Amino acid sequence: MLKRYLPILTWLPHYTRRLAGADLLAGVIVTVMVIPQSLAYALLAGLPAVVGLYASILPAIAYALLGTSRTLAVGPVAIIALMSGAALSEVAAPGTSDYLQAALVLSLLSGLMLTAMGLLRLGFFANFLSHPVIAGFLSASAVLIAASQAAHLLGIQASGFTALDLLVSLGGELGQTHWPTLLLGLGCLVFLVGMRRYGERMLRALRLPKGLASLLARAGPVLAVVVTTLLSWWLGLADRGVAVVGAIPGGLPPLSLPPLDLPLWRTLLIPALLISVVGFVESISMAQMLAAKRRERISPNQELVGLGGANLAAAFSAGMPVTGGLSRTVINFESGARTPMAGLFAALGIGAATLALTPLLQHLPIATLAATITISILTLVDIPLVRQTWRYSRSDFSAMAVTIVLTLVEGVEAGIISGVLLSIALFLYRTSRPHSVLVGRIDGTEHFRSIERHETETVSHLAMLRVDESLYFANARYLEDTVYALVASRPELEHVVLICSAVNLIDASALESLDAINARLEDSGVTLHLAEVKGPVMDRLKHSDFLDDLTGRVFLSTYAAWQELKRSPEAS
Amino acid sequence: MLKRYLPILTWLPHYTRRLAGADLLAGVIVTVMVIPQSLAYALLAGLPAVVGLYASILPAIAYALLGTSRTLAVGPVAIIALMSGAALSEVAAPGTSDYLQAALVLSLLSGLMLTAMGLLRLGFFANFLSHPVIAGFLSASAVLIAASQAAHLLGIQASGFTALDLLVSLGGELGQTHWPTLLLGLGCLVFLVGMRRYGERMLRALRLPKGLASLLARAGPVLAVVVTTLLSWWLGLADRGVAVVGAIPGGLPPLSLPPLDLPLWRTLLIPALLISVVGFVESISMAQMLAAKRRERISPNQELVGLGGANLAAAFSAGMPVTGGLSRTVINFESGARTPMAGLFAALGIGAATLALTPLLQHLPIATLAATITISILTLVDIPLVRQTWRYSRSDFSAMAVTIVLTLVEGVEAGIISGVLLSIALFLYRTSRPHSVLVGRIDGTEHFRSIERHETETVSHLAMLRVDESLYFANARYLEDTVYALVASRPELEHVVLICSAVNLIDASALESLDAINARLEDSGVTLHLAEVKGPVMDRLKHSDFLDDLTGRVFLSTYAAWQELKRSPEAS
């Protein structure tokens, strides 16, 4: 029981020195690798860079105690930072203390929601984010993030959380481009693209072992940060107008208390919910993928608790909303992390860095961070998936397209909400006009299929109608229309068999419709039968009067109905 | 084509003198019968009584031209009046000219929405109001209406559109009860209940023919209005503190123009939508019931246009929102109406009444109207249906219960919106955790049923899993969990057959899950097969790579899969 809520108890007792060695190495690597992105994502959210470091310490420790994934690395991530920035800029101006306070409230709300969803086992909620909607949302958000970083690469000011705002803002300032910044930024971009594409191959050509080469190739951002920071310090770039991170308060994260400002809480409720759900979906997908690779198990509901704990920790340690991050998790996994202890080590490492390294980071050019964000985020733009979805299903594609367009045009919240609502609406619409076919017997078998698609045997006084949907309020009337139209078009009809093999539910509205159909057919001298009613549906029907009033019978199989009814009683 | 949009063209050319006779009689009867209720419903909506008459003239004519039901009678009805009052009292104080203007806007918006829904063929929208939600809403609204009328019966002031507001308001004023009014109101109530319950029997005991007796018994409200108006005039009840209708401006309805006040339009948008949908559902159910009795057909989309036209007419003739009314339609039908001409005659009759009778109506006590509303509305409270729904489905019952409770506690809008959202949420929740069973062969047949419910034949290296739901984003992950759990629990498994007889859709999210299942099972040395994939689903799958990657086969029937796979390849 305790183990379920404190997964650390399952692995800590079996912890060995060998595991510790692997975890320590991974922890050191992660520490070095995630410092640049942590700073960058805090800036993306409109927060001071150091908040990104704070949010990588206690939240990561909280997740290590509570989470069920062994290799997930928790901290600030790009999408969540973008969503946080969009939400926060609605309630305060970036740079003010109100903005910082609001970030704490957002973390707190998100932490409370995630924990509550986990304890109440509401993880299935996340299932309503369909794959096309998530993919569309991630692609569009990546474009927004890249656009916002373009301003930093150009050395100009631009603000906004929609494509239009960003473009207008960028366009207006384009004349102010700061060439030294642009040069530095482009240099970083080219270097990072090069490292990503050719780095590993080049390093292996230098006879480095595969693992090390791959790791060093991934260290491109770290190298870029170190080199440009040194350059910036040496050349005094800050004095020449290149924006740098600037003075960062040293020391461990301070204890913080989110303000108890109820109107603010209410305003941030929906953004916090969206951030929680999107963060959870991003995190759980990755955790499941990695767990599958090592044949480990993760528990979705406990994952919610783990991420909730991490966000609560962020709220009380001057942080920002966090979740399991794609790139930091991949680094952790590929550096050989074996248990959450690696996450603890990385958290301690980043803690040490905030104590010791912050004076060094003040010369770090913001354009360098913008280049690293841009490169890592653009991998989220998935054009082939868009094409594939178009080919497979117009309906899924339209949900994806609406999500993309609205995320770009109206911002992240509008995008994701419309995507979810549209995919639900499309599903409901589809089930409200169910597919139904008349079936006939496939010669020599007991199998019945559509008379239009297959060569089948039928008789004129018997119609066997297979309804391919659960019968519920949204399609109850449609069913009535279908049956009445069938009966009206075939005056010789004596029996109608409703084949319920695809009917998984008959709700009260549909039951009333079946009652009406039964009565109306009786008036026309047609008998109504059912076949292949599933167990749970039958159990339910027994609690109503329908079976007593039914003019015909309930057959176990379509074949049984066929054998009984194929000979017209009047002919015999 | 023209006939489709102007149904009057289908019947007018064949109109005969015999039909005209029947329609004229019905028109006269309806005229007399609906005057009291028209006045009463206008008062219920917080509008001057005469508005109810106006709304029974031009709107009825518009419907006669555009509607497809031959016997539906359109005008103010109780539920719509209650909903209108609730919406209008949010934007203006009853009795002010703003309130009247807002009522015109409400009619206009409702008319525009209904017409647009009809032309765009969006009638299926109404299907999302499930039977339990409608029944619950009608019952709760009836209670609210009765409570609001109680104040008129007690001769006190009470206001509010929620049960709590009404009770508090009534309780506070109870000491002010006006005894003469209460006496009059109770007298009317007893008389009306008596007429309804024993009237027809008594009149038939007096040897009146059945039809006439039934009609006269229904004329109870008219009799009550005539008698109490005379009493009130004779005894000067108004001077003794009994509230009466008061001076009504004579003459035909004036031409009115809804104000072009955009903020007001925006505020009334949602109420107008709810009024439109509820009104349409109430109207179409009755129209379909009556059409079935006479084997006529109605077109739901053209009905929307008809009701839309009626509401537009109301907006421009100083009216209020209207729809097909239960009691006025029953009176029309039972008085022998044959075509919409009866509605025209009734509209002309009420027009004549507003010209001639309004001076007589000024002495009519409001308590009399309250008694007629109370009696007619309480028939909507359907306790047996509540019990029946509880017995049949807890989920349907909970949607009904929430609708009832929230309608009473929070008002009509909150009630109906929550009911609809909850029934959709329950349906989605249910489909997100699909029922699935392992099936086996029923001895000697080609039929396969649940191994738990039936005596079946199975083999240990083959699992045949029937999933009883369409596969879509909300349950894609659930399917993965189910299959992985199955494979983990049966190490001897070599083949998994997914039986798709109840799968009516596989969306892009579910396709990704199937891909993942296929790959994961392949890793574990298990082959994945499909069986009984429906035609439309198969067509879709052919547009993806899934069938190429599938490790196993797609079988036409479960039996074919069984024959092929029941012998273990390793055993043979």
Side-chain angles (χ1 to χ4, degrees):
Chain A
M1 178 64 186
L2 199 60
K3 277 186 184 172
R4 200 170 105 198
Y5 290 108
L6 272 180
I8 189 173
L9 299 180
T10 58
W11 56 267
L12 199 57
H14 315 294
Y15 202 62
T16 63
R17 183 184 289 237
R18 207 172 59 79
L19 287 174
D23 285 343
L24 187 61
L25 178 67
V28 171
I29 297 172
V30 169
T31 299
V32 177
M33 301 290 223
V34 305
I35 288 179
Q37 56 166 273
S38 299
L39 300 169
Y41 295 152
L43 292 176
L44 177 59
L47 291 160
V50 71
V51 170
L53 295 181
Y54 293 166
S56 306
I57 305 174
L58 279 189
I61 294 176
Y63 180 81
L65 302 180
L66 297 168
T68 57
S69 168
R70 305 217 156 182
T71 43
L72 193 74
V74 167
V77 309
I79 302 291
I80 298 302
L82 176 74
M83 294 177 77
S84 300
L88 296 175
S89 64
E90 294 285 316
V91 297
T96 63
S97 96
D98 280 357
Y99 196 90
L100 282 168
Q101 298 279 304
L104 299 181
V105 171
L106 201 56
S107 308
L108 177 68
L109 290 176
S110 177
L112 291 175
M113 283 175 188
L114 287 164
T115 310
M117 281 166 72
L119 296 178
L120 300 173
R121 323 205 134 263
L122 295 178
F124 71 91
F125 239 163
N127 297 343
F128 287 96
L129 278 183
S130 70
H131 286 254
V133 167
I134 296 173
F137 178 69
L138 292 183
S139 293
S141 300
V143 171
L144 283 183
I145 293 173
S148 78
Q149 297 311 305
H152 294 308
L153 288 172
L154 294 164
I156 58 181
Q157 299 289 328
S159 60
F161 289 95
T162 69
L164 192 69
D165 285 356
L166 282 166
L167 281 181
V168 167
S169 174
L170 276 176
E173 295 277 321
L174 214 53
Q176 314 292 319
T177 300
H178 188 251
W179 295 101
T181 302
L182 181 56
L183 205 68
L184 184 83
L186 283 183
C188 283
L189 273 185
V190 170
F191 170 72
L192 290 171
V193 172
M195 280 300 268
R196 195 170 265 257
R197 201 163 281 182
Y198 310 109
E200 187 174 342
R201 224 179 304 161
M202 279 168 50
L203 290 165
R204 294 201 63 188
L206 298 174
R207 309 256 165 135
L208 270 87
K210 184 172 157 53
L212 188 62
S214 151
L215 195 66
L216 282 178
R218 284 178 183 282
V222 176
L223 216 61
V225 163
V226 171
V227 171
T228 56
T229 303
L230 286 174
L231 261 180
S232 160
W233 167 71
W234 188 36
L235 300 175
L237 289 184
D239 300 332
R240 303 184 185 207
V242 173
V244 297
V245 167
I248 296 178
L252 289 175
L255 186 74
S256 63
L257 216 59
L260 197 73
D261 172 353
L262 282 186
L264 179 63
W265 286 41
R266 209 169 302 132
T267 316
L268 292 177
L269 214 57
I270 298 289
L273 181 66
L274 296 177
I275 288 173
S276 303
V277 174
V278 170
F280 174 61
V281 169
E282 194 184 334
S283 180
I284 192 99
S285 325
M286 204 159 25
Q288 280 180 329
M289 194 185 71
L290 297 181
K293 280 198 185 176
R294 291 212 181 140
R295 312 235 157 234
E296 293 160 353
R297 270 190 78 80
I298 58 156
S299 144
N301 286 312
Q302 182 60 27
E303 276 302 283
L304 282 164
V305 174
L307 293 176
N311 277 290
L312 290 176
F316 293 102
S317 64
M320 57 186 283
V322 295
T323 192
L326 175 65
S327 55
R328 61 176 76 211
T329 299
V330 171
I331 293 169
N332 194 38
F333 187 82
E334 301 205 336
S335 308
R338 303 298 303 272
T339 76
M341 191 63 88
L344 278 175
F345 288 141
L348 295 178
I350 296 172
T354 55
L355 277 175
L357 295 181
T358 44
L360 304 178
L361 289 171
Q362 66 173 296
H363 297 290
L364 169 57
I366 287 182
T368 307
L369 294 179
T372 69
I373 296 185
T374 305
I375 294 302
S376 77
I377 202 71
L378 284 179
T379 56
L380 291 181
V381 179
D382 194 344
I383 305 290
L385 185 65
V386 177
R387 212 178 310 120
Q388 209 173 305
T389 307
W390 165 260
R391 212 158 50 102
Y392 183 65
S393 155
R394 294 298 182 276
S395 152
D396 279 307
F397 174 79
S398 65
M400 181 187 255
V402 163
T403 309
I404 293 176
V405 170
L406 283 178
T407 302
L408 290 176
V409 175
E410 293 284 328
V412 280
E413 283 179 24
I416 195 116
I417 291 178
S418 331
V420 169
L421 292 184
L422 182 63
S423 39
I424 291 176
L426 285 171
F427 175 70
L428 290 175
Y429 178 72
R430 197 149 31 179
T431 59
S432 78
R433 309 176 71 85
H435 178 254
S436 63
V437 285
L438 287 170
V439 300
R441 181 188 184 195
I442 293 188
D443 255 352
T445 72
E446 295 182 11
H447 199 65
F448 292 77
R449 294 301 285 253
S450 159
I451 57 174
E452 280 156 29
R453 287 175 180 260
H454 300 264
E455 194 73 34
T456 57
E457 186 188 349
T458 53
V459 287
S460 70
H461 68 277
L462 167 64
M464 297 194 290
L465 184 72
R466 194 188 73 207
V467 186
D468 288 355
E469 197 58 67
S470 289
L471 301 177
Y472 77 114
F473 57 90
N475 60 28
R477 205 182 290 276
Y478 193 85
L479 174 71
E480 285 190 58
D481 291 347
T482 306
V483 175
Y484 298 154
L486 171 68
V487 175
S489 69
R490 287 175 52 178
E492 73 283 9
L493 216 52
E494 291 165 24
H495 298 283
V496 170
V497 181
L498 278 187
I499 302 170
C500 300
S501 54
V503 174
N504 309 309
L505 163 76
I506 295 178
D507 80 351
S509 305
L511 183 69
E512 275 191 50
S513 288
L514 282 179
D515 263 330
I517 290 171
N518 186 48
R520 189 88 77 92
L521 291 196
E522 189 172 15
D523 289 348
S524 325
V526 178
T527 315
L528 177 70
H529 308 268
L530 303 182
E532 308 207 20
V533 181
K534 288 171 203 270
V537 176
M538 198 64 188
D539 290 348
R540 187 66 65 81
L541 287 181
K542 284 181 184 147
H543 284 107
S544 75
D545 303 328
F546 176 72
L547 295 176
D548 304 331
D549 299 338
L550 185 66
T551 51
R553 288 175 45 192
V554 179
F555 293 99
L556 187 65
S557 69
T558 311
Y559 184 64
W562 167 262
Q563 280 190 308
E564 181 76 25
L565 304 172
K566 69 181 170 189
R567 231 173 273 244
S568 168
E570 278 158 39
S572 67
Chain B
M1 178 66 185
L2 198 59
K3 276 184 186 172
R4 202 171 101 195
Y5 291 107
L6 272 179
I8 189 174
L9 300 179
T10 57
W11 56 266
L12 200 57
H14 315 292
Y15 202 61
T16 62
R17 181 185 291 238
R18 204 172 59 82
L19 287 174
D23 285 343
L24 189 59
L25 177 65
V28 170
I29 295 172
V30 169
T31 300
V32 177
M33 300 290 224
V34 305
I35 287 179
Q37 57 166 272
S38 299
L39 299 170
Y41 295 151
L43 292 177
L44 177 60
L47 292 159
V50 71
V51 170
L53 295 180
Y54 293 165
S56 307
I57 304 174
L58 278 190
I61 295 175
Y63 180 81
L65 303 179
L66 297 168
T68 57
S69 167
R70 304 218 154 179
T71 43
L72 193 74
V74 167
V77 309
I79 301 289
I80 298 301
L82 176 74
M83 293 177 78
S84 301
L88 296 174
S89 64
E90 293 285 316
V91 298
T96 63
S97 97
D98 280 355
Y99 196 91
L100 282 168
Q101 298 280 303
L104 299 181
V105 171
L106 201 57
S107 309
L108 177 69
L109 290 177
S110 178
L112 291 174
M113 283 177 189
L114 287 164
T115 311
M117 281 166 71
L119 296 178
L120 299 173
R121 323 205 133 265
L122 295 179
F124 70 90
F125 240 163
N127 296 342
F128 287 97
L129 279 182
S130 70
H131 285 255
V133 168
I134 297 174
F137 178 69
L138 292 182
S139 293
S141 300
V143 170
L144 283 182
I145 293 173
S148 77
Q149 297 311 306
H152 295 307
L153 289 173
L154 293 164
I156 60 182
Q157 298 290 326
S159 59
F161 289 95
T162 68
L164 192 68
D165 286 356
L166 282 166
L167 281 182
V168 167
S169 175
L170 277 175
E173 296 277 321
L174 213 55
Q176 314 293 317
T177 300
H178 189 252
W179 296 100
T181 303
L182 181 56
L183 205 68
L184 184 82
L186 283 184
C188 283
L189 273 184
V190 170
F191 170 72
L192 290 170
V193 171
M195 279 300 269
R196 196 170 263 258
R197 199 162 283 183
Y198 310 109
E200 185 173 344
R201 224 180 303 161
M202 278 168 52
L203 290 164
R204 292 200 65 190
L206 297 175
R207 308 254 167 138
L208 271 88
K210 184 173 158 51
L212 188 62
S214 152
L215 195 67
L216 281 179
R218 283 178 183 283
V222 177
L223 215 62
V225 163
V226 171
V227 170
T228 56
T229 303
L230 286 175
L231 260 180
S232 159
W233 166 72
W234 187 35
L235 301 174
L237 289 185
D239 300 331
R240 303 187 185 206
V242 172
V244 297
V245 167
I248 296 178
L252 289 176
L255 186 72
S256 63
L257 216 58
L260 197 71
D261 172 354
L262 283 187
L264 179 63
W265 285 42
R266 207 167 307 132
T267 316
L268 292 177
L269 215 56
I270 298 289
L273 180 65
L274 295 178
I275 288 173
S276 303
V277 173
V278 170
F280 174 60
V281 169
E282 192 183 338
S283 180
I284 191 98
S285 324
M286 202 158 24
Q288 280 179 328
M289 193 185 71
L290 298 181
K293 279 198 185 175
R294 290 211 182 140
R295 313 238 158 231
E296 295 160 351
R297 269 191 78 81
I298 59 156
S299 145
N301 286 311
Q302 183 59 28
E303 275 303 283
L304 281 163
V305 174
L307 293 176
N311 277 290
L312 289 176
F316 293 100
S317 63
M320 60 187 281
V322 295
T323 192
L326 175 65
S327 54
R328 60 177 75 211
T329 299
V330 171
I331 293 168
N332 194 38
F333 187 82
E334 301 204 337
S335 310
R338 303 300 304 271
T339 77
M341 192 62 89
L344 278 176
F345 288 141
L348 295 178
I350 295 172
T354 55
L355 278 174
L357 295 183
T358 45
L360 304 179
L361 288 173
Q362 65 173 296
H363 296 289
L364 168 57
I366 287 183
T368 307
L369 294 180
T372 68
I373 295 185
T374 305
I375 294 302
S376 77
I377 203 69
L378 283 179
T379 55
L380 291 180
V381 178
D382 193 344
I383 304 289
L385 185 65
V386 176
R387 213 176 313 120
Q388 208 173 306
T389 307
W390 164 261
R391 214 157 50 101
Y392 182 66
S393 155
R394 294 297 183 276
S395 152
D396 279 306
F397 174 80
S398 65
M400 181 187 254
V402 163
T403 310
I404 292 176
V405 170
L406 282 177
T407 303
L408 290 175
V409 174
E410 292 285 328
V412 281
E413 283 178 24
I416 196 121
I417 290 178
S418 330
V420 169
L421 292 183
L422 182 63
S423 39
I424 291 175
L426 285 171
F427 174 70
L428 289 174
Y429 178 72
R430 198 150 29 182
T431 59
S432 78
R433 308 178 71 85
H435 178 253
S436 63
V437 286
L438 287 170
V439 301
R441 183 190 183 192
I442 292 188
D443 254 352
T445 72
E446 297 183 10
H447 199 63
F448 292 77
R449 295 300 285 252
S450 161
I451 58 173
E452 280 156 29
R453 286 174 181 263
H454 300 264
E455 194 76 33
T456 58
E457 186 187 348
T458 54
V459 288
S460 70
H461 67 279
L462 168 63
M464 298 195 290
L465 184 72
R466 195 187 73 204
V467 186
D468 288 355
E469 197 58 68
S470 289
L471 300 177
Y472 78 114
F473 57 88
N475 59 28
R477 204 181 290 275
Y478 193 84
L479 173 72
E480 285 190 59
D481 291 346
T482 307
V483 174
Y484 298 155
L486 171 68
V487 174
S489 69
R490 287 177 50 179
E492 74 284 9
L493 217 52
E494 291 165 23
H495 298 282
V496 169
V497 181
L498 279 186
I499 303 171
C500 300
S501 53
V503 174
N504 309 307
L505 163 77
I506 295 179
D507 80 351
S509 306
L511 183 68
E512 276 191 51
S513 287
L514 283 179
D515 263 329
I517 291 171
N518 185 46
R520 189 90 77 92
L521 291 195
E522 190 173 12
D523 289 348
S524 327
V526 177
T527 315
L528 177 70
H529 308 267
L530 303 183
E532 308 209 18
V533 181
K534 289 171 202 268
V537 175
M538 197 64 186
D539 291 348
R540 187 65 66 81
L541 286 180
K542 284 181 184 148
H543 285 109
S544 76
D545 303 328
F546 177 72
L547 295 177
D548 304 332
D549 299 337
L550 185 66
T551 51
R553 288 173 48 192
V554 179
F555 294 99
L556 187 65
S557 68
T558 310
Y559 184 64
W562 166 262
Q563 281 190 308
E564 181 75 23
L565 303 173
K566 70 179 168 188
R567 230 174 275 242
S568 167
E570 279 159 36
S572 68

